Amino acid sequence: MSKIHEAFENKKAFIAFLTGGDPDFETSVNLIKEAAKAGADLIEIGIPFSDPIAEGPVIQEANIRALSGGMTTDRIFDLVKEVRKDVTVPLVFLTYLNPVYHYGPEKFFRSCKDTGINGIIIPDMPFEEKGEILESAKKYGVELISLIAPTSDERIKMIAREAEGFIYVVSSLGVTGVRSEIKTDLKSIVESIREVTRIPTAIGFGISTPEQAEKMAKTADGVIVGSAMVKIVAKYGKDAAPYLYDYVKSMKEAVSSQ
Amino acid sequence: MKGRYGEFGGQYIPETLMNEIHRLEEAYEFYKNDKDFNDELNTLLKEYAGRPSLLYYAEKMTKDLGGAKIYLKREDLNHTGSHKINNVLGQVLLAKKMGKTRVIAETGAGQHGVATATGAALLGMECEIFMGKEDTIRQALNVYRMELLGAKVNAVTSGTMTLKDAVNEAMRNWTSRVDDTLYVLGSVMGPHPFPMMVRDFQSVISKEARAQILEKEGKLPSAVVACVGGGSNAMGAFYNFINDSEVKLIGCEAAGRGIETGKHAATIAKGEKGIFHGMKSLFCQDEYGQIAPVYSISAGLDYPGIGPEHAYLNEIGRAQYVPVKDDEAVEAFEYIARTEGIICAIESAHAVYHAMQIAPKMNKDDIIIVCLSGRGDKDVAAIARYRGVELYE
């Protein structure tokens, strides 16, 4: 069984996203550890990119903070090494294709394996283009996490059949960010996925409150929260740890009640 | 391979857009061979945009430079003042056939934004334009022009607040409204089918120019010269000459303050392979693949990438690309105004400058066609400021 599946074993998973290096290296390491301590079952670490086209303003700004703070792909691997001293839950990267392509997929995924990264999410790499990295990722045992969107329709089964790790179900059209309401028929999307694979599903985009998380955990195997986490970092900076801890704890409890 | 030019091109976009981009592909494949669609488009190009554009013999310039004969392909005389209208009429008409009610577009200098706002007004579509905040200040007149045409202009405050950020924001907006909206991309860039579709709509430039030069001179030109940002006027000017191996194809990139200064937008000269804005191509980027801030006096060339077909033509050696600096473009801008009485866009002046360099070294029976992609009214205030004259629109 893959390491990522541990996050979903006999429980609903709470998946936390933080931008690596936001607001600085040390704080970021501590915040990721704090999220794990508070009960996050899997943590997505964003590798900052200059032009994150799938992100809303909150995570865009986190990318800018991290890059201005001197974050680079090499430093991200240093950060993962630090995190892995204490954190045992599965870790995945979220980034865009160009940083991976430019670093060189072979070198990139070798470093993932060496530092303890278990999967990767690349929002600007659809199913048809995954050949760019698939071979290198497989070689080093890094699972490629696929996204399925409200507009995927007949593509759902094609994507799900070849999915690894977990399937990231995008809750709404548009970019990441807090939403007051999610209207997509997620239940039928998850049902279509389950017809062809037993890989767990997690819903992300727009989820911020325990009520929303609880509702989403009824439908899927996990819930992903990014912008609401990053907002806490933006607000409290170096002092964000206790606030983040409380937030993750409340979200984990909401998800677990399912 | 579909949508590829060698290894360049592709469809690197979020899953949310994949079905929509496939629908666009299918619609374009159908309508490009549809007689009614083509009749309608050709009527618009002729009756509304003013095509065919003139191929003008620049006699004074030719005599002054003392070498090859220079012809100017006058895209500046099109309605809205640039080549951008060729592509916009095609795409907005296609959007309408697809049942869309709203179009969005990015713009740098404002030429593509104005053209899109114009096409949308004419064909009764809702229109929103994304423009970097920096550019809305540099090109305030064009912002008001778009608003007069009924478009909503969004000043983009993310990133470097220029053209690349306007593209980011337009893509983000498209993912939030795929049902009723078509993103009318302004250049031969982005995910397939845009590079092909925009090139096809712009290829009218070289289709006309080839026939016109054969009629006037009875032979093909020695060189075709055009400026390159994303590369739409150049791709249009090159396309029907690609199989004429004796015709040199030369693209002129913005070298800003010089390609060694870091303040430029010279993608072919200084860029590296990458994957961004939906395509694999060449991009100005740092050692970690972060897209680099670029600079040019010309807001229309101020883009860190280049269309995938240009990257391919460069790689196989069919086209060559040369950097032209701000001061050189300004020199050409002033030169062509004085010698030919034509105030051209500062973008096009990059191509004019290169023609001025090569013409004297060529024979009198050689011919150069320069694509004069746009007119320069929009640049007058900026050039005045460049020369230290405090002139505001």
Side-chain angles (χ1 to χ4, degrees):
Chain A
M1 192 177 71
S2 84
K3 171 82 180 164
I4 287 174
H5 288 193
E6 283 174 18
F8 299 87
E9 223 178 347
N10 304 318
K11 63 187 177 216
K12 298 279 181 177
F14 176 70
I15 299 174
F17 169 91
L18 285 165
T19 298
D22 171 33
D24 59 60
F25 186 94
E26 304 300 329
T27 310
S28 184
V29 169
N30 289 333
L31 294 179
I32 294 166
K33 289 180 179 177
E34 206 67 14
K37 229 187 284 174
D41 299 297
L42 187 154
I43 298 170
E44 291 178 12
I45 301 172
I47 303 179
F49 182 49
S50 52
D51 297 84
I53 59 151
E55 311 295 352
V58 171
I59 298 179
Q60 285 176 41
E61 279 157 27
N63 279 273
I64 292 168
R65 282 195 300 272
L67 289 172
S68 320
M71 215 53 207
T72 64
T73 313
D74 286 325
R75 291 287 285 156
I76 280 282
F77 285 119
D78 293 342
L79 178 140
V80 175
K81 245 183 264 173
E82 282 301 312
V83 167
R84 269 291 179 224
K85 287 179 181 167
D86 296 318
V87 173
T88 55
V89 296
L91 296 176
V92 307
F93 275 148
L94 186 146
T95 191
Y96 290 79
L97 194 45
N98 204 48
V100 180
Y101 179 80
H102 199 82
Y103 201 78
E106 166 74 21
K107 185 178 158 205
F108 183 89
F109 288 105
R110 190 172 59 226
S111 300
C112 286
K113 180 171 191 277
D114 291 347
T115 54
I117 288 290
N118 310 109
I120 188 162
I121 306 166
I122 305 181
D124 63 345
M125 188 183 71
F127 179 86
E128 285 83 348
E129 305 287 9
K130 66 183 179 181
E132 288 295 341
I133 62 155
L134 196 61
E135 201 182 311
S136 308
K138 270 198 191 317
K139 181 173 168 189
Y140 293 105
V142 178
E143 293 188 292
L144 179 57
I145 291 148
S146 304
L147 294 105
I148 284 177
T151 51
S152 293
D153 300 330
E154 79 292 348
R155 294 171 55 80
I156 294 175
K157 290 195 163 69
M158 169 182 84
I159 296 167
R161 265 186 212 110
E162 295 185 19
E164 307 172 342
F166 71 92
I167 292 173
Y168 192 132
V169 179
V170 177
S171 76
S172 320
L173 296 179
V175 294
T176 57
V178 173
R179 288 171 170 79
S180 54
E181 201 185 359
I182 291 164
K183 290 180 186 160
T184 310
D185 183 3
L186 295 164
K187 201 159 167 271
S188 71
I189 293 178
V190 171
E191 278 166 9
S192 297
I193 294 171
R194 283 184 181 151
E195 283 173 32
V196 295
T197 181
R198 295 175 64 188
I199 299 264
T201 55
I203 300 175
F205 275 45
I207 302 165
S208 63
T209 65
E211 294 72 35
Q212 285 175 318
E214 192 181 327
K215 198 174 154 210
M216 292 300 151
K218 280 194 182 112
T219 307
D221 306 305
V223 173
I224 307 164
V225 174
S227 295
M229 300 270 301
V230 171
K231 260 189 175 168
I232 295 172
V233 183
K235 188 169 174 192
Y236 299 105
K238 287 181 194 304
D239 306 318
Y243 301 96
L244 202 73
Y245 181 90
D246 289 347
Y247 178 71
V248 171
K249 201 156 184 294
S250 69
M251 293 299 277
K252 172 63 189 167
E253 276 163 15
V255 169
S256 301
S257 69
Q258 283 316 302
Chain B
M1 210 161 103
K2 187 194 77 173
R4 292 278 175 175
Y5 310 89
E7 69 171 303
F8 301 111
Q11 284 178 325
Y12 302 88
I13 50 171
E15 172 59 24
T16 303
L17 291 174
M18 284 306 285
N19 263 325
E20 186 57 25
I21 207 97
H22 288 155
R23 272 193 284 275
L24 175 64
E25 230 180 295
E26 278 165 29
Y28 178 63
E29 288 298 334
F30 175 80
Y31 284 109
K32 77 174 184 189
N33 300 311
D34 180 61
K35 188 175 177 298
D36 290 346
F37 178 84
N38 283 298
D39 287 350
E40 218 173 316
L41 178 58
N42 288 331
T43 304
L44 284 173
L45 289 172
K46 180 164 175 260
E47 305 293 334
Y48 185 71
R51 301 210 72 90
S53 70
L54 300 174
L55 184 71
Y56 164 74
Y57 172 42
E59 192 176 357
K60 276 186 74 192
M61 220 175 130
T62 298
K63 288 191 171 144
D64 182 57
L65 294 168
K69 256 180 137 168
I70 296 174
Y71 278 87
L72 305 173
K73 182 61 175 162
R74 299 289 310 272
E75 293 299 305
D76 60 317
L77 296 178
N78 297 340
H79 180 45
T80 74
S82 81
H83 69 292
K84 293 292 186 189
I85 195 78
N86 305 331
N87 167 47
V88 160
L89 290 174
Q91 281 199 57
V92 178
L93 195 59
L94 181 64
K96 196 151 176 129
K97 299 278 180 202
M98 289 175 74
K100 304 290 181 189
T101 55
R102 176 177 177 261
V103 290
I104 56 171
E106 84 293 348
T107 198
Q111 286 173 316
H112 178 57
V114 167
T116 306
T118 299
L122 181 71
L123 295 171
M125 309 278 268
E126 192 189 331
C127 179
E128 265 186 64
I129 303 296
F130 295 85
M131 186 170 187
K133 186 155 183 257
E134 281 294 316
D135 293 333
T136 62
I137 296 164
R138 285 198 275 191
Q139 301 285 344
L141 195 64
N142 270 339
V143 174
Y144 195 68
R145 196 171 277 152
M146 288 182 265
E147 287 168 352
L148 275 177
L149 292 159
K152 182 178 172 213
V153 180
N154 298 293
V156 175
T157 55
S158 58
T160 53
M161 305 190 198
T162 59
L163 182 53
K164 105 182 145 69
D165 309 285
V167 175
N168 293 345
E169 221 44 51
M171 279 196 174
R172 288 180 184 126
N173 186 274
W174 199 24
T175 55
S176 72
R177 269 183 87 168
V178 281
D179 284 359
D180 65 349
T181 299
L182 178 68
Y183 178 10
V184 176
L185 243 163
S187 195
V188 287
M189 48 153 292
H192 176 70
F194 286 108
M196 173 185 79
M197 186 167 71
V198 177
R199 175 254 278 156
D200 289 351
F201 288 138
Q202 291 296 359
S203 67
V204 66
I205 299 173
S206 52
K207 189 179 166 200
E208 288 173 6
R210 196 172 184 283
Q212 287 165 324
I213 200 71
L214 285 175
E215 195 194 316
K216 284 174 195 282
E217 295 283 348
K219 63 176 181 177
L220 292 172
S222 309
V224 176
V225 184
C227 65
V228 186
S232 71
N233 91 85
M235 211 52 241
F238 292 173
Y239 189 63
N240 289 287
F241 292 108
I242 289 176
N243 291 330
D244 302 316
S245 56
E246 70 272 33
V247 180
K248 269 192 196 152
L249 306 175
I250 307 170
C252 302
E253 319 192 273
R257 301 212 171 102
I259 55 171
E260 68 294 333
T261 64
K263 298 249 181 226
H264 62 78
T267 312
I268 297 263
K270 300 300 263 188
E272 291 175 78
K273 278 180 197 170
I275 299 170
F276 181 52
H277 279 167
M279 58 182 171
K280 183 181 282 187
S281 189
L282 298 169
F283 297 94
C284 295
Q285 53 188 315
D286 77 5
E287 57 176 312
Y288 290 105
Q290 304 291 342
I291 303 304
V294 287
Y295 163 81
S296 165
I297 189 172
S298 140
L301 304 181
D302 199 355
Y303 180 71
I306 190 166
E309 197 167 3
H310 283 296
Y312 176 66
L313 292 176
N314 175 62
E315 190 165 87
I316 62 170
R318 178 61 191 96
Q320 68 174 112
Y321 296 83
V322 297
V324 175
K325 289 189 286 192
D326 282 359
D327 55 354
E328 296 167 338
V330 171
E331 183 191 324
F333 179 92
E334 293 169 339
Y335 175 82
I336 193 172
R338 280 196 314 272
T339 51
E340 291 293 342
I342 296 171
I343 294 176
C344 73
I346 190 66
E347 288 80 11
S348 320
H350 286 71
V352 173
Y353 179 81
H354 189 68
M356 287 160 62
Q357 302 310 299
I358 59 172
K361 296 172 199 154
M362 293 165 77
N363 295 324
K364 286 197 188 322
D365 56 354
D366 282 323
I367 297 163
I368 301 172
I369 294 178
V370 179
C371 185
L372 220 60
S373 57
R375 70 172 186 229
D377 312 42
K378 68 181 180 60
D379 298 310
V380 171
I383 300 298
R385 288 198 292 276
Y386 184 86
R387 288 298 185 209
V389 180
E390 282 299 311
L391 175 67
Y392 287 88
E393 296 151 343

